[in-house]
Amino acid sequence: MVADCYSCTTEAVLDTAPPREAVHVEERWRVAHAFDTSLPGWLVLLPRRHVTSLDELDPDEAADLGRLMASTSRALREVTGASKAYAVFFAEAEGFAHLHVHLVPRMPWFTPEQVGPRVFGFLGASDADRVPYADQDALALRLRESLVQGSE
């Protein structure tokens, strides 16, 4: 665990974290709802150990990431009505260097100004525009159920 890393700090208290921080948790990865977005269902996939780049993943973590991206994309489609999911990785912001793959629902109602890389206009939202925590938690539980059903 890295002390000044948001993801590691959350991982350390995962047992008491709200559903939005633990949409799905497995041995090597967890899925969380992005906290500063105005788009419901903007998720991040996080390795449970501290790594900062894709090439630091071991073979099992890398294989799990591919499987998890596919299953979580299906859950987003089912639960939010997304037409597909975008996957993006930067991990450059101060305190957020921990590898995290953004999985963003591409909604059918997006305007041309909201598609592709412009989807990042939904991130960094003001407190007033962010998806409320109660809504994030409710959505997290629905996504969790979809992921469980999809794995059976």
Side-chain angles (χ1 to χ4, degrees):
M1 179 177 122
V2 174
D4 62 344
C5 172
Y6 179 84
S7 298
C8 287
T9 302
T10 303
E11 181 70 30
V13 295
L14 199 55
D15 291 344
T16 59
R20 64 185 169 270
E21 290 291 349
V23 173
H24 177 75
V25 179
E26 53 188 51
E27 181 182 358
R28 296 176 188 89
W29 290 89
R30 77 177 167 96
V31 178
H33 196 287
F35 61 84
D36 65 344
T37 182
S38 60
L39 180 63
W42 186 305
L43 303 177
V44 288
L45 284 61
L46 305 129
R48 298 197 59 197
R49 70 179 181 97
H50 187 82
V51 298
T52 60
S53 67
L54 290 170
D55 64 304
E56 293 176 10
L57 296 175
D58 67 35
D60 291 332
E61 290 167 329
D64 287 350
L65 175 59
R67 177 193 44 76
L68 186 58
M69 287 175 65
S71 62
T72 305
S73 294
R74 279 190 293 277
L76 279 171
R77 189 183 291 254
E78 177 183 310
V79 172
T80 69
S83 52
K84 62 181 173 181
Y86 296 144
V88 184
F89 160 65
F90 296 112
E92 298 282 37
E94 186 69 33
F96 295 92
H98 189 115
L99 172 70
H100 58 285
V101 177
H102 294 261
L103 203 59
V104 186
R106 196 295 192 193
M107 302 307 293
W109 50 261
F110 279 5
T111 66
E113 293 77 28
Q114 296 169 317
V115 297
R118 293 178 296 274
V119 75
F120 274 86
F122 289 106
L123 200 61
S126 68
D127 288 345
D129 292 332
R130 290 180 182 174
V131 178
Y133 286 148
D135 294 352
Q136 289 182 28
D137 287 339
L139 183 56
L141 294 172
R142 290 175 47 217
L143 288 163
R144 184 182 296 169
E145 180 64 27
S146 178
L147 284 160
V148 167
Q149 288 177 355
S151 68
E152 294 175 346

